[in-house]
Coordinates of all heavy atoms in Angstrom, one line a residue:
L139 N 34.5 86.5 39.7 CA 34.9 87.7 40.6 C 33.8 87.9 41.6 O 34.1 88.3 42.8 CB 35.1 88.9 39.7 CG 36.2 88.8 38.6 CD1 36.3 90.2 37.9 CD2 37.5 88.4 39.2
T140 N 32.5 87.8 41.3 CA 31.5 88.1 42.3 C 31.6 87.0 43.4 O 31.4 87.3 44.6 CB 30.1 88.0 41.6 OG1 29.9 86.8 40.9 CG2 29.9 89.2 40.7
I141 N 31.9 85.8 43.0 CA 31.9 84.7 44.0 C 33.2 84.9 44.9 O 33.2 84.7 46.1 CB 31.9 83.3 43.4 CG1 30.5 83.1 42.6 CG2 32.0 82.2 44.4 CD1 30.4 81.9 41.8
M142 N 34.3 85.3 44.2 CA 35.5 85.5 45.0 C 35.3 86.6 46.0 O 35.7 86.6 47.2 CB 36.7 85.9 44.1 CG 37.2 84.7 43.3 SD 38.6 85.2 42.2 CE 40.0 85.2 43.4
D143 N 34.6 87.7 45.6 CA 34.4 88.8 46.5 C 33.5 88.4 47.6 O 33.7 88.9 48.8 CB 33.8 90.0 45.7 CG 34.8 90.7 44.8 OD1 36.0 90.4 44.9 OD2 34.3 91.4 43.9
A144 N 32.5 87.6 47.4 CA 31.6 87.1 48.4 C 32.4 86.2 49.4 O 32.2 86.3 50.7 CB 30.5 86.2 47.8
C145 N 33.4 85.4 48.9 CA 34.2 84.6 49.8 C 35.1 85.5 50.7 O 35.3 85.3 51.9 CB 35.1 83.7 49.0 SG 34.1 82.3 48.4
C146 N 35.6 86.6 50.1 CA 36.4 87.6 50.9 C 35.6 88.2 52.0 O 36.0 88.3 53.2 CB 37.0 88.6 50.1 SG 38.5 88.1 49.1
A147 N 34.3 88.6 51.7 CA 33.5 89.2 52.6 C 33.0 88.3 53.8 O 32.7 88.8 54.9 CB 32.2 89.8 51.9
T148 N 33.1 87.0 53.5 CA 32.6 86.1 54.6 C 33.8 85.2 55.1 O 33.5 84.3 55.9 CB 31.6 85.1 54.0 OG1 32.1 84.5 52.8 CG2 30.3 85.9 53.6
N149 N 35.0 85.5 54.7 CA 36.2 84.8 55.2 C 36.0 83.3 54.9 O 36.3 82.4 55.7 CB 36.4 85.0 56.6 CG 36.7 86.5 57.0 OD1 37.2 87.2 56.1 ND2 36.3 86.9 58.2
T150 N 35.6 82.9 53.6 CA 35.4 81.6 53.3 C 36.4 81.1 52.1 O 36.4 81.8 51.1 CB 33.9 81.4 52.8 OG1 33.0 81.9 53.7 CG2 33.6 79.9 52.5
P151 N 37.1 80.0 52.3 CA 38.0 79.6 51.3 C 37.3 79.3 49.9 O 36.1 78.9 49.9 CB 38.6 78.3 51.8 CG 38.5 78.4 53.3 CD 37.2 79.2 53.5
Y152 N 38.0 79.6 48.8 CA 37.4 79.6 47.5 C 38.2 78.7 46.6 O 39.4 78.7 46.6 CB 37.4 81.0 47.0 CG 37.1 81.2 45.5 CD1 35.8 81.3 45.0 CD2 38.2 81.2 44.6 CE1 35.6 81.5 43.7 CE2 37.9 81.3 43.2 CZ 36.6 81.5 42.8 OH 36.3 81.6 41.4
L153 N 37.5 78.0 45.6 CA 38.1 77.2 44.6 C 37.3 77.3 43.3 O 36.1 77.3 43.4 CB 38.2 75.7 45.0 CG 38.8 74.7 44.1 CD1 39.5 73.6 44.8 CD2 37.7 74.1 43.2
D154 N 38.0 77.4 42.2 CA 37.3 77.4 40.9 C 38.1 76.5 39.9 O 39.1 75.9 40.3 CB 37.1 78.8 40.3 CG 38.4 79.5 39.9 OD1 39.3 78.8 39.5 OD2 38.4 80.7 40.0
T155 N 37.5 76.3 38.7 CA 38.1 75.4 37.7 C 38.6 76.1 36.5 O 39.2 75.5 35.6 CB 37.2 74.3 37.3 OG1 36.0 74.9 36.7 CG2 36.7 73.5 38.5
A156 N 38.2 77.4 36.3 CA 38.6 78.2 35.1 C 38.7 79.6 35.4 O 38.1 80.2 36.3 CB 37.5 78.0 34.1
N157 N 39.6 80.3 34.7 CA 39.9 81.7 35.0 C 38.7 82.6 34.6 O 37.9 82.2 33.8 CB 41.2 82.2 34.6 CG 41.4 82.3 33.0 OD1 40.5 81.9 32.3 ND2 42.5 82.8 32.6
Y158 N 38.8 83.8 35.1 CA 37.7 84.8 34.8 C 37.7 85.1 33.3 O 38.7 85.3 32.7 CB 37.9 86.1 35.6 CG 36.9 87.2 35.3 CD1 35.6 87.0 35.6 CD2 37.3 88.3 34.6 CE1 34.6 88.0 35.2 CE2 36.4 89.3 34.2 CZ 35.1 89.1 34.6 OH 34.2 90.1 34.2
E159 N 36.4 85.2 32.8 CA 36.2 85.7 31.4 C 35.2 86.8 31.5 O 34.2 86.7 32.1 CB 35.7 84.6 30.5 CG 36.7 83.5 30.3 CD 36.1 82.4 29.3 OE1 35.3 82.8 28.5 OE2 36.6 81.3 29.4
H160 N 35.5 87.9 30.7 CA 34.6 89.0 30.6 C 33.5 88.6 29.7 O 33.7 88.1 28.6 CB 35.3 90.2 30.1 CG 34.5 91.5 30.3 ND1 33.4 91.8 29.5 CD2 34.6 92.5 31.2 CE1 32.9 93.0 29.9 NE2 33.6 93.4 30.9
P161 N 32.2 88.8 30.1 CA 31.1 88.3 29.3 C 31.0 89.0 27.9 O 30.5 88.4 26.9 CB 29.8 88.7 30.1 CG 30.3 89.7 31.1 CD 31.7 89.4 31.4
D162 N 31.6 90.2 27.8 CA 31.5 91.0 26.5 C 32.8 91.0 25.7 O 32.9 91.7 24.7 CB 31.0 92.4 26.8 CG 29.7 92.5 27.6 OD1 28.8 91.6 27.2 OD2 29.6 93.3 28.5
E163 N 33.8 90.2 26.1 CA 35.0 90.2 25.4 C 35.7 88.8 25.5 O 35.7 88.2 26.6 CB 36.0 91.2 26.1 CG 37.3 91.5 25.4 CD 38.1 92.5 26.1 OE1 37.7 93.0 27.2 OE2 39.2 92.9 25.5
A164 N 36.1 88.3 24.4 CA 36.8 87.0 24.3 C 38.2 87.1 24.8 O 39.2 87.1 24.1 CB 36.7 86.4 22.9
K165 N 38.3 87.2 26.2 CA 39.6 87.4 26.8 C 39.7 86.5 28.0 O 38.8 86.5 28.9 CB 39.8 88.9 27.2 CG 41.2 89.3 27.5 CD 41.3 90.8 27.6 CE 42.8 91.2 27.8 NZ 42.9 92.7 27.9
F166 N 40.8 85.7 28.1 CA 40.9 84.8 29.2 C 42.2 85.1 29.9 O 43.3 84.9 29.4 CB 41.0 83.4 28.7 CG 40.1 83.1 27.5 CD1 40.6 83.1 26.2 CD2 38.8 82.9 27.6 CE1 39.8 82.9 25.1 CE2 37.9 82.7 26.5 CZ 38.5 82.7 25.3
E167 N 42.1 85.7 31.1 CA 43.4 86.0 31.9 C 43.1 86.0 33.4 O 42.0 86.2 33.8 CB 43.9 87.4 31.4 CG 43.0 88.5 31.7 CD 43.5 89.8 31.2 OE1 44.6 89.9 30.7 OE2 42.9 90.9 31.4
Y168 N 44.2 85.8 34.1 CA 44.1 85.7 35.6 C 44.2 87.1 36.3 O 44.1 87.2 37.5 CB 45.2 84.8 36.1 CG 44.9 83.3 36.0 CD1 45.7 82.5 35.2 CD2 43.9 82.7 36.7 CE1 45.4 81.2 35.0 CE2 43.6 81.4 36.5 CZ 44.4 80.6 35.7 OH 44.1 79.3 35.6
K169 N 44.5 88.1 35.5 CA 44.9 89.4 36.0 C 43.9 89.9 37.1 O 44.4 90.2 38.2 CB 44.9 90.4 34.9 CG 45.2 91.9 35.3 CD 45.1 92.8 34.1 CE 45.3 94.3 34.5 NZ 45.1 95.2 33.3
L170 N 42.6 89.9 36.9 CA 41.7 90.4 37.9 C 41.5 89.5 39.1 O 41.2 89.9 40.2 CB 40.3 90.6 37.2 CG 40.3 91.7 36.2 CD1 38.9 91.8 35.5 CD2 40.6 93.1 36.8
Q171 N 41.8 88.2 38.9 CA 41.8 87.3 40.0 C 43.1 87.4 40.9 O 43.0 87.4 42.1 CB 41.6 85.8 39.6 CG 40.2 85.6 39.0 CD 40.0 84.1 38.5 OE1 40.5 83.7 37.5 NE2 39.4 83.4 39.4
W172 N 44.2 87.5 40.2 CA 45.4 87.7 40.9 C 45.4 89.0 41.7 O 46.0 89.1 42.8 CB 46.6 87.7 39.9 CG 47.0 86.4 39.4 CD1 46.7 85.2 40.0 CD2 47.8 86.1 38.3 NE1 47.2 84.1 39.2 CE2 47.9 84.7 38.2 CE3 48.4 86.9 37.3 CZ2 48.6 84.0 37.2 CZ3 49.1 86.2 36.3 CH2 49.2 84.8 36.2
Q173 N 44.7 90.0 41.2 CA 44.6 91.3 41.9 C 43.9 91.2 43.2 O 44.1 92.1 44.1 CB 43.9 92.4 41.0 CG 44.8 92.9 39.9 CD 44.0 93.9 39.0 OE1 42.8 94.1 39.2 NE2 44.7 94.4 38.0
R174 N 43.2 90.1 43.4 CA 42.5 89.9 44.7 C 43.3 89.2 45.7 O 42.9 88.9 46.8 CB 41.2 89.2 44.5 CG 40.1 90.1 43.9 CD 39.0 89.3 43.2 NE 37.8 90.2 42.9 CZ 37.8 91.2 42.0 NH1 38.9 91.3 41.2 NH2 36.7 91.9 41.8
D175 N 44.6 89.0 45.4 CA 45.5 88.2 46.3 C 45.6 88.9 47.7 O 45.5 88.3 48.8 CB 46.9 88.2 45.7 CG 47.9 87.4 46.6 OD1 47.6 86.2 46.9 OD2 48.9 88.0 47.0
E176 N 45.7 90.3 47.7 CA 45.8 91.0 49.0 C 44.6 90.9 49.8 O 44.6 90.8 51.0 CB 46.2 92.5 48.7 CG 46.8 93.2 49.9 CD 48.1 92.5 50.4 OE1 48.9 92.1 49.6 OE2 48.2 92.4 51.6
K177 N 43.4 91.0 49.1 CA 42.1 90.8 49.8 C 42.0 89.5 50.5 O 41.5 89.4 51.6 CB 41.0 91.1 48.8 CG 40.7 92.5 48.4 CD 39.5 92.6 47.6 CE 39.2 94.1 47.2 NZ 38.0 94.2 46.3
F178 N 42.4 88.4 49.8 CA 42.4 87.1 50.4 C 43.3 87.0 51.5 O 43.0 86.3 52.6 CB 42.7 86.0 49.3 CG 41.5 85.6 48.5 CD1 40.9 86.4 47.6 CD2 41.0 84.3 48.7 CE1 39.7 86.0 46.9 CE2 39.8 83.9 48.0 CZ 39.2 84.7 47.1
K179 N 44.5 87.6 51.5 CA 45.4 87.6 52.6 C 44.8 88.3 53.8 O 44.9 87.9 54.9 CB 46.7 88.2 52.2 CG 47.6 87.3 51.3 CD 48.9 88.1 50.8 CE 49.7 87.1 50.0 NZ 50.8 87.8 49.3
E180 N 44.2 89.5 53.5 CA 43.6 90.2 54.6 C 42.4 89.4 55.3 O 42.2 89.5 56.5 CB 43.0 91.6 54.1 CG 44.1 92.6 53.7 CD 43.6 93.8 52.9 OE1 42.3 93.9 52.8 OE2 44.4 94.6 52.5

């Protein structure tokens, strides 16, 4: 998420290999990354 936000702030295309994981919770989901769709479009 921090790297995605930096890419949005600098208008730089982004690629990763694994979805976001919360450091304090064993949970694997795209929810928070998908929520950045509008920011990437903007």
Side-chain angles (χ1 to χ4, degrees):
L139 301 183
T140 56
I141 298 172
M142 288 181 82
D143 290 344
C145 285
C146 282
T148 55
N149 301 330
T150 309
Y152 167 90
L153 175 149
D154 66 34
T155 63
N157 69 357
Y158 173 71
E159 293 184 27
H160 195 284
D162 302 320
E163 187 179 6
K165 194 171 186 180
F166 325 100
E167 60 181 3
Y168 283 114
K169 179 182 174 182
L170 294 175
Q171 291 183 279
W172 285 342
Q173 285 176 357
R174 283 159 168 74
D175 180 60
E176 200 57 43
K177 287 185 178 179
F178 271 72
K179 286 176 177 170
E180 289 170 5

